[in-house]
Structures are given as structure tokens and as C-alpha cells.
Amino acid sequence: MIVLKISNASEVVASKVGRFLERLTPDSIDQTTVEDQVIKKLIENLAAEGLKGEVAAINGLDLEGEDLNVHKGLKVRKHSTF
């Protein structure tokens, strides 16, 4: 299993749409947008290599250094099989 934490979603959105529009969107939307794009590209690249598996975006799970923390309300936000 691989865990990927994206920590600069707001900066990525700001660089793509501009600072003004980024300030109008909540950070949670920025995070969701970037995660969805990463998942899409990840699936495309892994499938092109012939790999099969599953990818999920999960709310309520946090990676802090070498600790994986599970928070109340753990939920799979998005799940894709490739």
C-alpha cells in the first residue's frame, strides 16, 4: 500500500488559476481538486505500465512523519479501480 499526502494544493491551484480566484475557493475544494487530478494521472500512468490495482482518496486519515493517524469520521471520498 502506498500513502500519498499532498501538502501544497492551494499553491498549485493559485499557480493555475491565479491568486485572486484561489482566495475565493475554500482550501478543502483546492485539496479535492488537486487530489482528483493526481488520481486521474496516476491511474493513467499505472495502467499504461500494465499495473492493476485500486486508488482511493480518504478523508480522516493523516500522515505525520512516520505516524499514520486515523481520525473520527474516516471516509473513502473517491475510489477507482484500474
Side-chain angles (χ1 to χ4, degrees):
M1 181 175 290
I2 297 170
V3 176
L4 173 66
K5 178 179 180 180
I6 298 170
S7 59
N8 68 335
S10 292
E11 290 86 3
V12 170
V13 170
S15 72
K16 301 292 182 187
V17 299
R19 288 274 174 209
F20 175 73
L21 290 176
E22 189 272 332
R23 287 186 190 121
L24 298 177
T25 61
D27 287 342
S28 61
I29 291 175
D30 294 349
Q31 188 73 24
T32 299
T33 301
V34 171
E35 285 177 355
D36 289 347
Q37 284 298 96
V38 168
I39 288 172
K40 179 181 173 186
K41 292 295 185 181
L42 186 61
I43 288 171
E44 288 174 5
N45 289 323
L46 293 174
E49 293 295 326
L51 292 168
K52 294 182 181 180
E54 300 175 51
V55 176
I58 301 173
N59 291 339
L61 190 64
D62 196 23
L63 181 63
E64 295 176 10
E66 293 186 12
D67 295 327
L68 188 61
N69 299 317
V70 178
H71 302 282
K72 187 175 181 180
L74 182 70
K75 179 183 173 196
V76 176
R77 183 183 61 75
K78 181 177 182 151
H79 177 264
S80 299
T81 302
F82 59 93

